[in-house]
Structures are given as structure tokens and as C-alpha cells.
Amino acid sequence: MTRAIRLESINVGASEPIAIGKRVQQTGIHKRPVSGPVEVGIEGVAGDVIVDGRHHGGVDQAVYLYSREDYDWWSAQLQRELAPGIFGENLTLSAFPEQPLRIGDRLRIADVVLELSAPRIPCATFGARMADPQFVARFIDAARPGVYARVLQGGRLEAGADVQFEPVATPSVTVAEMFTLWVNKPRDPARMEALLATPVSERGRAKLASWLARPD
């Protein structure tokens, strides 16, 4: 039996300052739950601010998802409760499907259809958000990256909605495999070619092409 999954929280962020070392910059990573119905379109969740459009957001990484199960794991590791949105996700789900997530899998929430496109690769801003300069390394070691998705069909979402999982019909690379490929060297050219055959994000596709052109 497929496990029941629900949408626990919808989170959006405004532009706020954050200190990264001695440098202060604006970021939209401070996401907080919102109540009531929220519109989701091809560029993401209404009201959510993307400050660094070069590295974040875009139609292929319009929505970031994380799970309550991963939150519970991190709360145990960090010995503190973590509020939804602290990982910068737009949608907090009660869980991810039991089977490994694959690039191209789809999630249907009410009228909204999402297609998984890439894992989250942590950056210095994320470490600053967690007030721990070592957190990027911890996040990589934990291998609990969450997942980005493009919006194939927009609509209105509200916390509590059921989430339906629609696995990709053709063989695909798992989100975990893509994450490992990104954070470890040497990178296997065959796995990169396989990933290019999936509906991976355009940002990821460009990086793969550059790596293949200049092997490790």
C-alpha cells in the first residue's frame, strides 16, 4: 500500500539581510509558514521572493520540497525543534514516497502538478541561515537534500491537502544519485550522460555539459 502523504506547510520568504562571514547580503531563504490558500504558478509560490536569480529559482527549480521525516531526523541530530521553512523549502510534506525519488517523478497536490528536477545543493547562505559554518558539510554527509520541482500545472494550494505520487514512466536517475554525483569526485561520465537523458533542471543540465566538456 502506498503511504499517505499530505502537505503540512506552505512557506514563503521576503528579502532579508544575512551575514555570511564579514559580508552582509539580501536573501529570501528565511521562509515562514503562511495560512489559507496560496497560488502556485510556473515561477513558484505566490509571495515568495527569490533574491539571487542566478543560483536559485527559475521555472525548472520553482518549488523546493522537504519532508517532516527529514525534519524529525535533523531535530534529533541538532537537539532542538525546527520550524517548517527553516530549510528554505516552499512546501513541507509529511513524508516523501517510500520508493526512491527519481528525476521526472510527479507530485499532484490538488490542481497543482509538480515534476521533480534536481536535489538541493547547499551553499554558504544555507550555512549562515543555520548559524553553523559547518552545516553545509553536515547537510552533504546526511544525504537528505530534499528536491526541487518545476510546476507543470499551477493552481491553489492549502496546508492539509493530500499529495499523490506519480512515478516517472521511463527509467530515470534517482534524486539521491544526482546528489551524490554533484558532491563527490571523480564524476562518472556515463552517469552524467544518463542524467542528461532525464528532465533534469536547466541549471543542472548546463553544469553537466560543462563537466563533460572538462572531465575531472
Side-chain angles (χ1 to χ4, degrees):
M1 179 182 295
T2 303
R3 74 163 80 185
I5 304 172
R6 70 181 182 282
L7 175 60
E8 286 199 349
S9 180
I10 304 170
N11 317 298
V12 302
S15 179
E16 298 181 31
I18 192 168
I20 304 176
K22 297 181 179 180
R23 176 168 50 92
V24 177
Q25 65 183 46
Q26 294 296 117
T27 179
I29 199 172
H30 296 89
K31 302 197 189 299
R32 300 173 179 87
V34 294
S35 60
V38 180
E39 293 290 336
V40 177
I42 61 170
E43 295 186 352
V45 178
D48 187 48
V49 173
I50 302 296
V51 175
D52 181 5
R54 179 182 177 188
H55 297 104
H56 301 286
V59 295
D60 285 321
Q61 294 180 203
V63 177
Y64 177 50
L65 303 98
Y66 213 63
S67 81
R68 169 52 54 190
E69 290 182 331
D70 288 322
Y71 262 101
D72 291 344
W73 187 88
W74 278 111
S75 290
Q77 295 295 309
L78 301 175
Q79 294 294 293
R80 62 188 176 96
E81 290 299 313
L82 299 170
I86 198 170
F87 281 85
E89 82 278 7
N90 303 109
L91 305 180
T92 313
L93 306 186
S94 59
F96 285 129
E98 292 175 301
Q99 65 192 75
L101 294 174
R102 295 181 178 275
I103 303 301
D105 284 346
R106 295 180 180 183
L107 299 174
R108 184 180 295 273
I109 314 173
D111 293 329
V112 175
V113 180
L114 307 175
E115 183 177 70
L116 308 189
S117 61
R120 192 256 193 83
I121 307 300
C123 61
T125 304
F126 186 38
R129 171 69 178 100
M130 300 304 291
D132 179 1
Q134 302 303 315
F135 195 79
V136 168
R138 295 184 69 176
F139 190 81
I140 289 172
D141 289 343
R144 293 170 176 267
V147 64
Y148 285 107
R150 58 176 60 87
V151 180
L152 297 183
Q153 179 175 300
R156 182 172 292 188
L157 293 184
E158 191 165 2
D162 291 335
V163 180
Q164 304 299 322
F165 175 59
E166 300 175 358
V168 62
T170 56
S172 185
V173 176
T174 69
V175 172
E177 287 171 336
M178 182 174 173
F179 184 73
T180 299
L181 184 69
W182 239 251
V183 300
N184 292 332
K185 292 183 178 181
R187 298 184 179 94
D188 181 359
R191 296 309 297 160
M192 289 192 281
E193 293 284 4
L195 190 49
L196 283 170
T198 74
V200 65
S201 68
E202 288 303 313
R203 199 175 279 121
R205 187 174 296 278
K207 182 64 74 173
L208 288 164
S210 71
W211 285 336
L212 284 167
R214 300 189 304 273
D216 294 332

